[in-house]
Amino acid sequence: MKKYENILDFLNDLDEDKRKQVDYLRQLIMETIPVTEHIKWNAPSYVYGGEDRITFNLHGEDIKILIHMGASKKEDKKAKPVLDDKTGIVRWNSNIRGTVSFKSMNDILIMRLDFINLLKQWVAVS
């Protein structure tokens, strides 16, 4: 697997359709919350309050966005999630890590407002 050093290298390796989806989601994230973008886990990731909180996962067909609390918090896979996701778009992996999946640009557009609301709520949780 290629190791990406920067965002542009990562984006340039995507096919046109996936690139459009990723660019749109990146724009939503950066317009919604004050984050810093970098490469982590070989994909775009976003730092808020000094911690990585949002990371892309493009393994497989779907575009997945991981919401997480970085490395400073202890994860409990059996505990209740720290956020009450009223949107229903998160599949929780633990109390501090969840996944939002998008199958297509149409999915992204349909889920856009829920995703924006989720982002705002997620960074408000500490």
Side-chain angles (χ1 to χ4, degrees), residues 2 4 12 17 19 30 32 38-39 46 62 76 99 110 115 117:
K2 181 176 179 179
Y4 297 102
N12 286 338
D17 188 48
R19 170 82 185 250
M30 292 187 286
T32 301
H38 69 122
I39 293 287
Y46 302 88
D62 296 351
D76 184 344
T99 305
I110 289 169
F115 184 61
N117 288 331

Side-chain angles (χ1 to χ4, degrees), residues 36-84:
T36 303
E37 182 182 53
H38 69 122
I39 293 287
K40 179 178 181 155
W41 299 329
N42 218 24
S45 189
Y46 302 88
V47 175
Y48 179 85
E51 290 282 348
D52 279 283
R53 300 293 302 272
I54 301 159
T55 304
F56 275 85
N57 176 337
L58 297 181
H59 301 291
E61 294 295 314
D62 296 351
I63 293 177
K64 297 176 194 76
I65 304 284
L66 282 77
I67 57 173
H68 55 92
M69 293 199 159
S72 66
K73 297 226 182 215
K74 182 153 174 61
E75 183 175 33
D76 184 344
K77 293 185 178 186
K78 294 182 181 178
K80 180 180 174 189
V82 295
L83 176 67
D84 181 18

Side-chain angles (χ1 to χ4, degrees), residues 10 16 21 23-24 34 37 41 49 58 71 75 81 85-86 98 107-110 115-119 126:
F10 174 86
E16 184 178 345
Q21 294 172 53
D23 279 340
Y24 189 80
E37 182 182 53
W41 299 329
L58 297 181
E75 183 175 33
D85 170 33
K86 299 202 185 320
D107 249 13
I108 295 168
L109 295 173
I110 289 169
F115 184 61
I116 288 170
N117 288 331
L118 174 70
L119 292 172
S126 52

